[in-house]
Amino acid sequence: MAQDLQDYTGVMSSSKLQESEVRIKHSLNKNEEKFRVDRRKTVQQSLQKLGICCSVDKVPNIALVGSGGGERAMVGLLGSLVHFQKTILLDCVLYLSGVSGSTWCMASLYQEPDWSTKLESVKDKIIQRLCGPAVSWGDSFAKLKKYYYEKDIFSLTDFWAAMVVTTFVKEIDEHTLTEHLDQHSKDPLPIYTVIDKQCKQKKEGDPWFEITPHEAGFSLTGAFVDASSFGSQFEKGSMIKKQPEIDMLYLQALCGSALADGGEILKFLWQKIKDLFESKKNILEEMGKEDPDPSIDKGFQVILDLVDMNLCVLDGKDPSAHDESIRTTLTDLAGGKGQLIFPVGKLDLTDKEAAKLYMEHYTMDVCNNLSVWFKLWPFDFFYSFCRCIVQWIWGRKYDFLHNMTAKPVPVALLESETRDYIDAGLLLNSPYFSVLRKERDIDLIISLDFSDGDPFTTVKDAAKMCKERSIPFPEVIIPSEDFQKPKDFYVFKGKNVPTVIHIPLFNVLNCGDDIEAWRKKYCTFQGPYSAEMITDLMEVAEKNITNNKAKVLEEIREIIGLPE
C-alpha cells in the first residue's frame, strides 16, 4: 500500500550526491522497488488461490521474521517455511528477514535458485548436510588462512566463521549475496540483520544495520552502500580501496556470533585456539615443515602455555605454573636473556576486573615478544587473534560513510574510519527494525520466535523500542498465565500500525506440559543436533504453521478490509 516518502538530502563535500557510491536517502533501492512490483502480483495470485480476492493495490505487504537461537532457530525456521509453502502462505510473503541462527537457514535456502518452488527437496538436501560429516580441520584452517590474508582487517568474526560456524552448518559456503541476484524472482527478498556495536554502546545513532542482495546499510538512518562494496574502504562517498565481497559463510558468522554470554564465548574461543595449536603436526604439514627448527616447537609451547594461562584465570585457578613456563621458554629463545617486560606479580583472582586487565597486558606482552622470533603463519595469525581477544573486536569493517558530509547521519558515523558489526540478538533477538522502515510500508509482520527463555521478550522489547523512537507498532499485552504456558498464536494490532502475529516455537499446543523439557533439550549453546533431534524439532515447528493457517488468513482478510 503505497505511501509518500520524505527523502533526506545528503550534501557531499567533494562530490555531488548523485555521483557518490554511497546512497543517503530514505527510499528503497531501485532494484528492491522493481522486486516489490513483481512480487505483489505473485502475492495477489496466491491470495486468490486461498480464496482472498483483491486488486494489486490492495495486496498487503507481509514480512516474515525469524529470531535468533543458534541451530534451534535454523532448524525451526526451516520447518516453519516448509509448511508455509505447503499452505501457499509462503507465496504471500514479500520479505524474509532473520537474526543470528535464522540467517543460517536463509543462507542455506538462497543457495538454491527459486528455492520456494522446490522447498521439499531443498529441505531434504539441507537436513542431509546437517546430519552429515563435519567440515575437515584442513578445510577450516585453509579458510581461516584465506580470510586472514585476503583483506585488510581481521577480527574474531573471521575465526568464528571458519572454526565455529562451520561445525554447525557443516559447509564452507563461498558464494556471495550478489551472485544470487537474478536467481530468486519467485522467492521473498532476504534481509540479513546485524547491529553497529559503537551505536549500541555509545547511543550515538540507530544501530540497526541490514544486508540485502542489493545494499547494506543503516536501516533507520537511511545510509547505504552496494552489497558488493560492503567492507571496502571509502572516502567522502567514493571507494578508494576494494576489499573482497563478504561470502555467505562470513555473513552467517557476522549475523550469528552471540551464542552465549561474553564470558562463555571467551573461554570457548581460547579452547578452540588451544585445540588448533595442539594439532601441531597438521599445522607443520600445512607450513611445509616436516622437520622444523627446534625454536618453532618452543613457539608452540609458549602459545599453549599462554592459552592455558588465560583459561586458568577465567576459571579462577592459579596460573603461576604456566607463567613460569612462558618466561623460561622466552628466556631460552633469547639465549638466556629475560624477555618479558610485564613484571612477575601475584594475581588476585577474586578481583575479576583486575585479573582480566592483568591478562590483557600480559597476553599482548607475550605476543610482542614472540613476534620478534616468529613472523610467519600461523604465528602472525595468533598475534592478531590475541589482539582481537584483548580489544574484543568482532565484525570490524571500513566505515563507508567516512568523511562524508551528510544530514541527518550522526556525526560519529562520518568521523570513524572503521565500524564493528555484531549479532543483532545482543540488542533485540528479532529483526523487526529491518521491516519497520517506513518506506517498506509493511502491513503484517509474522514473527517466528525461536528465542531461549521468555518467548515474549522480543515482541515486548520491540514495542518498547518503537515507542521510544516514535515508530508505529501495536501495543503488546500478554496474559500473565501465558508466560509459563505460552500459546501458539498471538495477534497484536491497532490503528495505523502494522499487525503483528507472534508464534513462539515451544508452546502448550505442540509441547503440552513439556515446554521446559523441550527448551533444555534444544539449548542455544550446544553441539550440532543429531538427525533425530532435527526431525523432532522440525515437526514441532511445522505444527505451529499448520494449526494456524486459518487464523493467518483471517488477519490478512481484515487488513484488506474483506468480511470474514
Side-chain angles (χ1 to χ4, degrees):
M1 297 177 181
Q3 62 182 33
D4 293 333
L5 302 174
Q6 182 72 34
D7 292 341
Y8 292 99
T9 302
V11 181
M12 305 300 156
S13 59
S14 64
S15 61
K16 295 180 181 178
L17 180 63
Q18 59 265 30
E19 295 173 352
S20 173
E21 296 174 68
V22 175
R23 195 172 72 87
I24 311 292
K25 209 169 187 182
H26 282 283
S27 63
L28 296 178
N29 176 282
K30 290 180 180 178
N31 292 317
E32 183 175 336
E33 286 279 20
K34 182 180 182 305
F35 168 83
R36 285 165 62 95
V37 170
D38 295 337
R39 182 68 177 176
R40 284 166 64 84
K41 295 174 185 175
T42 300
V43 174
Q44 182 196 30
Q45 294 167 4
S46 302
L47 288 174
Q48 202 164 10
K49 292 177 184 176
L50 291 163
I52 299 176
C53 297
C54 66
S55 59
V56 174
D57 65 316
K58 288 287 187 179
V59 167
N61 293 328
I62 301 174
L64 183 62
V65 299
S67 78
E71 190 169 1
R72 180 181 61 249
M74 180 184 186
V75 175
L77 180 58
L78 181 60
S80 302
L81 289 171
V82 167
H83 277 261
F84 265 107
Q85 194 272 335
K86 287 181 178 179
T87 58
I88 314 180
L89 288 170
L90 183 56
D91 289 333
C92 301
V93 174
L94 182 61
Y95 294 102
L96 174 60
S97 186
V99 163
S100 200
S102 284
T103 67
W104 297 357
C105 174
M106 292 166 60
S108 293
L109 293 172
Y110 283 90
Q111 288 180 17
E112 301 286 340
D114 292 331
W115 56 266
S116 60
T117 64
K118 50 185 175 183
L119 188 47
E120 193 64 35
S121 63
V122 172
K123 176 206 73 174
D124 291 342
K125 183 177 178 180
I126 293 172
I127 292 177
Q128 185 178 19
R129 167 165 48 86
L130 294 180
C131 296
V135 174
S136 71
W137 181 93
D139 288 345
S140 290
F141 194 59
K143 184 61 178 173
L144 179 62
K145 185 175 183 179
K146 184 177 180 182
Y147 278 148
Y148 183 78
Y149 283 115
E150 74 178 0
K151 55 189 177 181
D152 292 352
I153 304 173
F154 177 83
S155 77
L156 293 174
T157 305
D158 296 280
F159 180 82
W160 191 262
M163 308 307 295
V164 180
V165 173
T166 52
T167 66
F168 289 96
V169 301
K170 304 282 186 74
E171 69 173 347
I172 295 176
D173 185 356
E174 295 188 306
H175 294 95
T176 64
L177 270 175
T178 58
E179 285 180 46
H180 304 308
L181 269 175
D182 302 321
Q183 300 179 5
H184 298 287
S185 61
K186 298 181 181 179
D187 303 320
L189 183 71
I191 308 174
Y192 300 83
T193 59
V194 293
I195 55 172
D196 181 294
K197 178 181 176 181
Q198 290 91 337
C199 284
K200 172 183 180 288
Q201 291 181 338
K202 300 177 182 178
K203 295 180 169 51
E204 60 189 14
D206 284 305
W208 314 104
F209 195 92
E210 64 180 57
I211 304 166
T212 75
H214 305 301
E215 288 185 319
F218 294 89
S219 302
L220 303 184
T221 301
F224 305 96
V225 70
D226 189 90
S228 64
S229 300
F230 174 51
S232 292
Q233 188 174 11
F234 283 77
E235 183 73 16
K236 297 180 180 179
S238 297
M239 188 192 300
I240 60 173
K241 188 175 184 182
K242 177 69 177 172
Q243 296 286 287
E245 181 179 353
I246 64 173
D247 62 23
M248 297 306 292
L249 175 62
Y250 182 88
L251 179 60
Q252 291 174 87
L254 194 70
C255 294
S257 54
L259 293 180
D261 63 78
E264 286 302 310
I265 288 182
L266 191 57
K267 283 193 279 189
F268 181 80
L269 289 173
W270 281 119
Q271 186 60 52
K272 292 295 285 187
I273 279 289
K274 182 178 179 179
D275 295 343
L276 183 65
F277 278 87
E278 280 182 334
S279 305
K280 184 173 68 173
K281 181 176 181 295
N282 290 332
I283 293 177
L284 291 173
E285 287 178 358
E286 195 270 342
M287 293 168 67
K289 295 181 179 293
E290 295 180 5
D291 186 22
D293 187 302
S295 65
I296 289 182
D297 277 337
K298 293 178 181 178
F300 274 99
Q301 185 57 52
V302 171
I303 287 175
L304 289 172
D305 280 329
L306 181 60
V307 171
D308 280 332
M309 189 171 175
N310 274 278
L311 286 169
C312 278
V313 172
L314 287 170
D315 289 332
K317 298 176 182 177
D318 181 13
S320 56
H322 299 298
D323 172 54
E324 184 177 344
S325 176
I326 289 170
R327 293 178 187 275
T328 299
T329 307
L330 286 176
T331 299
D332 196 23
L333 275 169
K337 297 179 181 179
Q339 287 297 295
L340 276 183
I341 300 170
F342 206 71
V344 176
K346 186 168 178 62
L347 270 172
D348 180 4
L349 295 173
T350 61
D351 187 340
K352 293 187 180 299
E353 280 304 311
K356 177 185 175 185
L357 189 61
Y358 180 96
M359 285 310 303
E360 286 177 0
H361 290 303
Y362 185 96
T363 297
M364 291 316 300
D365 193 21
V366 171
C367 287
N368 290 336
N369 276 274
L370 274 179
S371 66
V372 173
W373 306 102
F374 307 105
K375 299 181 184 294
L376 70 168
W377 175 266
F379 290 93
D380 51 356
F381 148 72
F382 179 72
Y383 311 144
S384 293
F385 174 87
C386 288
R387 181 179 65 84
C388 291
I389 280 274
V390 166
Q391 298 178 21
W392 207 234
I393 299 172
W394 290 83
R396 180 159 293 180
K397 297 289 177 190
Y398 284 119
D399 181 4
F400 63 85
L401 295 167
H402 186 236
N403 278 341
M404 290 181 69
T405 304
K407 297 179 181 180
V409 178
V411 173
L413 293 178
L414 307 174
E415 293 179 342
S416 58
E417 293 184 4
T418 60
R419 307 298 297 180
D420 294 352
Y421 303 99
I422 56 177
D423 192 316
L426 293 166
L427 184 56
L428 181 66
N429 201 34
S430 195
Y432 282 104
F433 287 94
S434 65
V435 299
L436 284 170
R437 279 176 59 184
K438 184 179 179 182
E439 52 270 29
R440 288 201 167 120
D441 195 19
I442 296 299
D443 300 295
L444 173 62
I445 299 173
I446 302 176
S447 160
L448 303 178
D449 195 279
F450 312 110
S451 304
D452 195 11
D454 182 356
F456 303 110
T457 297
T458 54
V459 70
K460 289 186 300 180
D461 286 353
K464 180 183 176 183
M465 292 177 183
C466 284
K467 187 175 181 179
E468 292 170 350
R469 292 165 173 79
S470 298
I471 295 173
F473 199 85
E475 186 178 7
V476 174
I477 299 176
I478 312 292
S480 57
E481 62 271 18
D482 287 20
F483 284 97
Q484 294 300 319
K485 295 184 176 181
K487 299 182 180 66
D488 66 341
F489 192 87
Y490 294 85
V491 181
F492 309 105
K493 48 192 173 184
K495 189 176 181 180
N496 298 321
V497 297
T499 296
V500 175
I501 292 174
H502 187 71
I503 301 177
L505 174 61
F506 300 131
N507 54 72
V508 293
L509 277 298
N510 60 15
C511 299
D513 295 328
D514 299 324
I515 292 175
E516 283 306 313
W518 278 91
R519 288 175 178 168
K520 288 178 182 177
K521 181 179 179 181
Y522 293 96
C523 296
T524 303
F525 197 65
Q526 68 184 68
Y529 295 165
S530 65
E532 181 183 0
M533 289 177 71
I534 290 173
T535 300
D536 291 347
L537 186 58
M538 290 275 291
E539 289 179 359
V540 166
E542 290 167 358
K543 288 178 183 177
N544 287 333
I545 310 307
T546 54
N547 291 344
N548 292 298
K549 175 185 175 182
K551 294 178 183 177
V552 173
L553 291 177
E554 182 181 329
E555 295 306 320
I556 292 174
R557 284 180 175 276
E558 184 175 328
I559 290 168
I560 296 172
L562 296 176
E564 295 183 15

